[in-house]
Amino acid sequence: MHVLSQTGEAVAAPEERVTTGETTKLGRAIVVTSGKGGVGKTTTTANLGTALAQRGARVALIDADVGLRNLDIVLGLENRVQHHLLDVLEETATIDDALVPDKHSEGLFLLAAAQAREKDEVDTEKMRALVASLRERFDYVIIDSPAGIEKGFKNAVAGAQEAIVVCTPEVSSVRDVDRVVGLLGNRFRPQLVINRVRPQLVKKGTMLSVEDVDAFLRLPLLGVIADEPQIIVTTNRGEPLALQRDGKTAAAYHAIAARVAGEDVPPPQVELPKPTLFQRLFRGGRA
Amino acid sequence: MNLGATLAKTGSRVVLVDADIGLRNLDLVLGLEKRIVFDLVEVVEERCQLRQALIRDKRFESLFLLPASQTRDKDAVSEEQFAAVVDQAAETADYVLVDSPAGIEAGFRNAVAGANEAIVVTTPEVSAIRDADRVIGKLSDRGLPVRLIVNRLRPEMVHSGDMLSVDDVCEVLGVELLGIVPDDEEIIDTTNRGEPLALDDSKRLTAIYQKIVRRLEGELVPFTTFDNGYRQGLFGRLFAGLRAG
């Protein structure tokens, strides 16, 4: 797969990040976006943030979905949010007051979106400045974009230098990602996460395969996440799956984090599921 | 798409309006993407007539699509202009179904502008329900009657306590239930191919959309409990003589 060398290139440290002695080291600002709603931007953001923090990085997550926030729920922090993004942008709260430390991962912080406000109220320039100031304090600033390509998307993208685009293996989602990549232009070196893959359906030919999606989008592939009931359970509970050390899907998130961090880990693979009891009976026992 | 096709199959004249300007998809899931000549924005800008922009479906005579423009912004159309197009479409159709973009920005406000009823679609996940609650609030502010479709339900997960039940969802949202659609691979397959479920009566979900349509037309149709009615696996099917709604 052509992805690895490109991925390695994409994460090669830009000049300002080189940790040469006392010079200021700026963190990386990454926007997570998709065009289509409901494909897993927030879940990806929460798990990537968790996995990076578990590696010892300092990570700030920004929920840019003003009016429809969710990242607080997925992280289980909804009761701890006191101030939000707009409070900070409008200077009614300091960034230190607004950042909510994560319950589970040290070094992970959330800046929640305002639920009762509108996206039009966000000043794009102030958003850019906020992300820039967070880059001075964190290794990663990950911005969870709202669905669509309207003002909320533009605000989310404003301060970022890199993009992660999330799609499901469905033609409508792939088309939306293609459009978003076009809108991002040449600045963001977008990398792809393919979410909700069902290997059984790919095998049956009813779902696009990773190769199909890759052939259409031609983006560096960051990771492939299977459609697992575990993901629904953990997001409902507010405990990202990446907190777990075992399991294939948790491992896939850790591999994404490693790749984001610049490690040369093997390309994403989706394994076929274990045969069902029925199939095993017919094949006469376990493989 | 599936509602529209099912309505059209029962003889109604249906216009589907894709309000997701810039990220259109309804053409794709209907398999009509290659037939687009004019789009919504061109109708608004009076560069063509509404009837020129409407694409008749390949399979259902009384189903029409008004596609969104792919290369324009949502700001290209105002709420008043959008409402005027929907009104005009409603003059010749029994149903105008407007497919709203995600979110609650200008695209959502446009999509809602010409409507007099709303269907809110949610999945049984905490985050989706919170979003739906916010949207229902916005629709109620505009005085629109709201009904709910719970999508992507996984009965076996509800059973094991890992997913909210339809009752839970309805209790939180407090709106009338219009339908329950299980998470079924048929959806992925048929939307990828651009074939509405109404084409094939042997599909599991076809009957479910038929029930939703009957409720939409005012009939009282009982809900099937999925507890032991709907399983995708062979074992589930063997043990429960299927058919759900």
Side-chain angles (χ1 to χ4, degrees):
Chain A
M1 218 169 275
H2 69 287
V3 296
L4 259 195
S5 58
Q6 286 192 29
T7 311
E9 203 175 48
V11 292
E15 311 83 288
E16 75 255 27
R17 285 204 68 244
V18 178
T19 42
T20 46
E22 303 302 308
T23 46
T24 38
K25 166 192 160 192
L26 285 182
R28 289 160 58 188
I30 306 171
V31 63
V32 179
T33 189
S34 70
K36 199 168 166 61
V39 297
K41 288 177 293 297
T42 302
T43 307
T44 303
T45 305
N47 279 294
L48 174 60
T50 298
L52 284 168
Q54 303 269 322
R55 297 170 56 89
R58 282 180 59 79
V59 184
L61 304 180
I62 303 180
D63 189 345
D65 203 348
V66 176
L68 289 176
R69 74 177 186 205
N70 277 319
L71 194 50
D72 55 328
I73 293 188
V74 174
L75 290 164
L77 296 175
E78 68 273 21
N79 296 325
R80 299 203 177 173
V81 174
Q82 294 261 13
H83 304 283
H84 49 65
L85 175 64
L86 272 163
D87 291 334
V88 177
L89 295 178
E90 291 166 354
E91 294 173 27
T92 57
T94 65
I95 182 69
D96 291 291
D97 288 337
L99 283 172
V100 184
D102 186 56
K103 284 179 193 174
H104 309 286
S105 311
E106 204 173 327
L108 181 64
F109 292 82
L110 168 70
L111 179 55
Q115 180 70 348
R117 302 285 295 271
E118 300 285 337
K119 282 160 184 107
D120 303 339
E121 297 177 64
V122 176
D123 181 323
T124 309
E125 284 316 306
K126 284 189 177 162
M127 182 78 182
R128 198 188 305 273
L130 173 69
V131 173
S133 76
L134 285 172
R135 286 177 61 202
E136 291 171 11
R137 304 171 43 180
F138 289 92
D139 301 314
Y140 297 93
V141 181
I142 305 177
I143 305 142
D144 185 18
S145 156
I149 48 177
E150 296 186 68
K151 183 85 196 296
F153 163 76
K154 284 167 194 154
N155 288 332
V157 164
Q161 329 141 270
E162 299 171 45
I164 293 174
V165 286
V166 182
C167 78
T168 59
E170 289 163 80
V171 283
S172 52
S173 172
V174 172
R175 191 208 252 186
D176 282 1
V177 159
D178 204 32
R179 175 96 176 108
V180 163
V181 168
L183 288 173
L184 286 173
N186 301 324
R187 279 201 301 131
F188 295 89
R189 294 170 298 184
Q191 301 187 75
L192 181 68
V193 171
I194 306 178
N195 202 13
R196 285 224 183 107
V197 177
R198 301 191 191 183
Q200 312 94 307
L201 297 195
V202 175
K203 200 177 168 198
K204 272 167 73 180
T206 55
M207 181 178 258
L208 300 178
S209 67
V210 170
E211 288 73 28
D212 294 335
V213 176
D214 182 49
F216 188 80
L217 292 174
R218 288 278 150 202
L219 292 173
L221 189 60
L222 202 51
V224 179
I225 303 290
D227 189 23
E228 284 271 359
Q230 255 328 89
I231 296 179
I232 298 178
V233 175
T234 52
T235 52
N236 278 347
R237 283 202 199 134
E239 294 168 3
L241 193 59
L243 287 170
Q244 301 174 16
R245 280 275 139 209
D246 315 316
K248 277 189 191 129
T249 308
Y253 280 121
H254 288 289
I256 290 176
R259 223 169 277 121
V260 167
E263 263 181 48
D264 194 10
V265 294
Q269 300 270 331
V270 180
E271 285 174 41
L272 285 172
K274 289 200 189 104
T276 61
L277 177 61
F278 180 72
Q279 290 164 326
R280 271 190 257 159
L281 288 173
F282 273 69
R283 280 185 204 152
R286 279 205 49 147
Chain B
M1 181 265 277
N2 282 310
L3 272 192
T6 309
L7 276 167
K9 201 182 176 190
T10 60
S12 297
R13 230 180 114 84
V14 183
V15 175
L16 305 179
V17 180
D18 190 346
D20 205 349
I21 299 172
L23 285 177
R24 71 181 179 205
N25 275 321
L26 198 48
D27 55 324
L28 213 52
V29 297
L30 279 165
L32 296 176
E33 69 276 11
K34 299 207 168 69
R35 301 205 175 177
I36 297 175
V37 182
F38 297 110
D39 60 48
L40 173 70
V41 176
E42 287 168 307
V43 175
V44 166
E45 291 174 350
E46 294 182 349
R47 287 194 274 140
C48 70
Q49 299 283 314
L50 174 62
R51 56 179 173 76
Q52 294 176 291
L54 288 177
I55 305 162
R56 187 191 293 269
D57 185 74
K58 296 176 195 173
R59 299 131 306 194
F60 300 101
E61 275 237 312
S62 60
L63 180 64
F64 296 84
L65 169 69
L66 178 57
S69 167
Q70 182 71 340
T71 51
R72 300 289 295 272
D73 269 346
K74 266 133 193 140
D75 307 334
V77 180
S78 74
E79 287 185 48
E80 293 72 28
Q81 288 170 323
F82 202 100
V85 172
V86 172
D87 284 347
Q88 200 191 336
E91 282 169 18
T92 59
D94 301 312
Y95 291 92
V96 180
L97 302 183
V98 184
D99 185 16
S100 162
I104 47 174
E105 297 184 72
F108 163 77
R109 292 192 291 270
N110 279 343
V112 169
N116 35 40
E117 295 173 49
I119 299 173
V120 171
V121 182
T122 186
T123 61
E125 287 163 71
V126 180
S127 52
I129 292 167
R130 193 206 257 186
D131 288 359
D133 197 32
R134 178 103 169 103
V135 165
I136 290 168
K138 295 210 167 249
L139 294 167
S140 304
D141 286 349
R142 290 169 179 254
L144 290 182
V146 177
R147 282 183 286 180
L148 184 71
I149 292 181
V150 180
N151 200 15
R152 286 219 180 117
L153 188 81
R154 300 193 186 185
E156 68 288 352
M157 282 182 72
V158 176
H159 210 69
S160 62
D162 288 330
M163 182 176 265
L164 297 174
S165 70
V166 174
D167 289 343
D168 295 338
V169 178
C170 290
E171 198 182 309
V172 175
L173 296 177
V175 290
E176 189 192 330
L177 185 64
L178 184 64
I180 308 164
V181 183
D183 190 24
D184 194 310
E185 59 190 82
E186 282 177 0
I187 288 281
I188 299 171
D189 189 30
T190 53
T191 53
N192 278 347
R193 282 198 236 189
E195 290 171 0
L197 283 158
L199 283 173
D200 185 352
D201 281 337
S202 70
K203 293 263 195 269
R204 293 182 290 269
L205 293 180
T206 308
I208 288 174
Y209 282 103
Q210 280 163 354
K211 283 190 173 187
I212 294 175
V213 158
R214 281 163 61 199
R215 289 187 196 109
L216 207 54
E217 304 215 82
E219 215 179 304
L220 266 175
V221 185
F223 291 92
T224 315
T225 39
F226 285 89
D227 286 353
N228 44 18
Y230 193 97
R231 296 278 162 80
Q232 278 191 45
L234 176 63
F235 283 102
R237 266 186 264 165
L238 287 176
F239 281 96
L242 204 73
R243 272 309 131 199

